[in-house]
Amino acid sequence: MQSHNNASIILKPGREKALNRRHPWIFSMAIKAVKGKPALGETVDVIDAKGNWLACGAFSPESQIRVRIWSFEQGEVIDQTFFESRIQGALNARQALIADQKLTGFRLVAAESDYLPGITVDHYDNTLVTQLLSAGAEFNRHHIIGALESIFPDYNIYDRSDVDVRKKEGLAPVKGLIKGVEPTELSVIEENGVKILVDIPEGHKTGFYFDQRDNRRIAGSYCKDKTVLNCFSYTGTFGIYAMKNGATHFTNVDLSQSALDIAKKNIEINDLDLSKVDFVQADVFKLLRRYRDEGKKFDVIILDPPKFADNKSQLNGACRGYKDINMVAMQLLNPGGTLLTYSCSGLMAADLFQKIVADAALDAGRDAQIIGRLSQASDHPIASTFPEGFYLKGLALTVR
Ligand code: SAH
């Protein structure tokens, strides 16, 4: 029955199916009873309606995802050794990628996709940045930090758990230095021989978007001798690859002036020609229309917007948003130009996204051919038991 002195969760009959497929979430409506008085985030055993032990996981009384599974192995104790072994497993799985692309910046732990629900750890040179998003991650904070210290003894550790989703788990947003030296300047990471500046305390997410790494490299290959418009540029890293590959002119557009300031420094530290790069602080939705009215044209356009849908009720609005920017972007392309378009909304299925882009082409009055399908970099794996881990999808299109 129970593997140790945990409180336990008894499931309703038939509600063990997802767990038998090793999906790591138990929703509140699957639960018949809670035995004992587990604290927020404490480890509980999960028992099916017939009394069989199924798994142990973290109890989250305020979230609809009531339990996130740590282990399906009976008797496994959730302590520092457990986290060391999972984190080491995540590191081992990335070693080839790190060596191949000469990475000093990468996602070390991708939460559920690395069998560590609610835990994100990003590696920035000699600093690890943590994001503990679930009650169970917070409850085990000392074990997780202890595990990181033991695998990476000389590293700084900085916490960027300052995100609103923690509230769903009954946790307040927190951030700050955990170990080592406070980051006073921008950090520098490298990938594929490119240098990238990152603002760890103030940047988006934990500071940077590693998930687009492969797409930056692919984008570069379309940019030789081309004029490029990069919408939602953040710190302009698509532009570094494009300029290295011989783009004739590159325009970064973002709402955030601080992101654009870093984008400019990113061009400088890579010894690229600043006179060929523009930085435009603007709302992409408005700017694309203005450019259309002005008759502006580009050879390549990159559209990498933020997540438009956080929940199902926002999906329709998200579809309209994607269609709008894709339509106007196609109208701005020279004949035979390239559109590189992405959606990082997990709720937006890849086939739906493709339909939206097809509709955008119809409305733009252009023929569009898909020449590449794009996805998240491999330090953002998709566990076969957790299809929700697939969120970033993109299309490369020739627009005639
Ligand atoms: N392409 C970037 C990541 C983009 S993240 C990279 O590879 O690193 C999304 C960016 O869109 C953020 O920098 C955010 O500031 C910006 N943003 C959000 N809404 C916007 C809008 N309406 N117009 C312009 N930029 C916007």
Side-chain angles (χ1 to χ4, degrees), residues 133-152:
L133 299 185
S134 63
E138 185 61 46
F139 183 84
N140 287 287
R141 175 180 280 266
H142 58 297
H143 288 324
I144 297 163
I145 301 302
L148 290 171
E149 284 174 336
S150 105
I151 302 173
F152 300 95

Side-chain angles (χ1 to χ4, degrees), residues 204 209 216 232-234 237-238 254-256 282-284 304 306:
H204 293 177
Y209 295 89
R216 289 191 271 276
F232 311 97
S233 69
Y234 191 48
T237 40
F238 273 99
D254 204 279
L255 271 180
S256 159
D283 179 340
V284 165
D304 182 25

Side-chain angles (χ1 to χ4, degrees), residues 196 204-205 207-213 215-216 230-239 253-257 259-260 280-287 302-308 325 342 344:
I196 297 171
H204 293 177
K205 307 215 280 186
F208 189 55
Y209 295 89
F210 293 118
D211 51 2
Q212 285 286 26
R213 185 186 312 108
N215 296 327
R216 289 191 271 276
N230 182 22
C231 299
F232 311 97
S233 69
Y234 191 48
T235 53
T237 40
F238 273 99
V253 185
D254 204 279
L255 271 180
S256 159
Q257 187 58 49
L260 292 170
V280 182
Q281 194 268 322
D283 179 340
V284 165
F285 287 84
K286 292 184 186 147
L287 188 76
I302 301 163
L303 293 177
D304 182 25
K307 201 155 108 178
F308 285 160
I325 51 174
Y342 307 93
C344 63

Side-chain angles (χ1 to χ4, degrees), residues 249-320:
H249 193 268
F250 196 94
T251 305
N252 288 299
V253 185
D254 204 279
L255 271 180
S256 159
Q257 187 58 49
S258 55
L260 292 170
D261 292 344
I262 298 177
K264 190 169 174 195
K265 292 191 184 130
N266 272 333
I267 293 294
E268 288 168 343
I269 59 161
N270 286 286
D271 297 322
L272 295 164
D273 186 349
L274 203 51
S275 71
K276 292 180 180 166
V277 187
D278 285 340
F279 306 88
V280 182
Q281 194 268 322
D283 179 340
V284 165
F285 287 84
K286 292 184 186 147
L287 188 76
L288 290 177
R289 286 196 154 65
R290 201 180 90 206
Y291 280 173
R292 186 177 61 184
D293 295 345
E294 293 170 0
K296 256 188 149 47
K297 294 284 178 195
F298 299 89
D299 300 320
V300 179
I301 298 182
I302 301 163
L303 293 177
D304 182 25
K307 201 155 108 178
F308 285 160
D310 278 324
N311 54 56
K312 280 192 184 140
S313 69
Q314 295 171 347
L315 196 55
N316 275 338
C319 291
R320 283 195 295 278

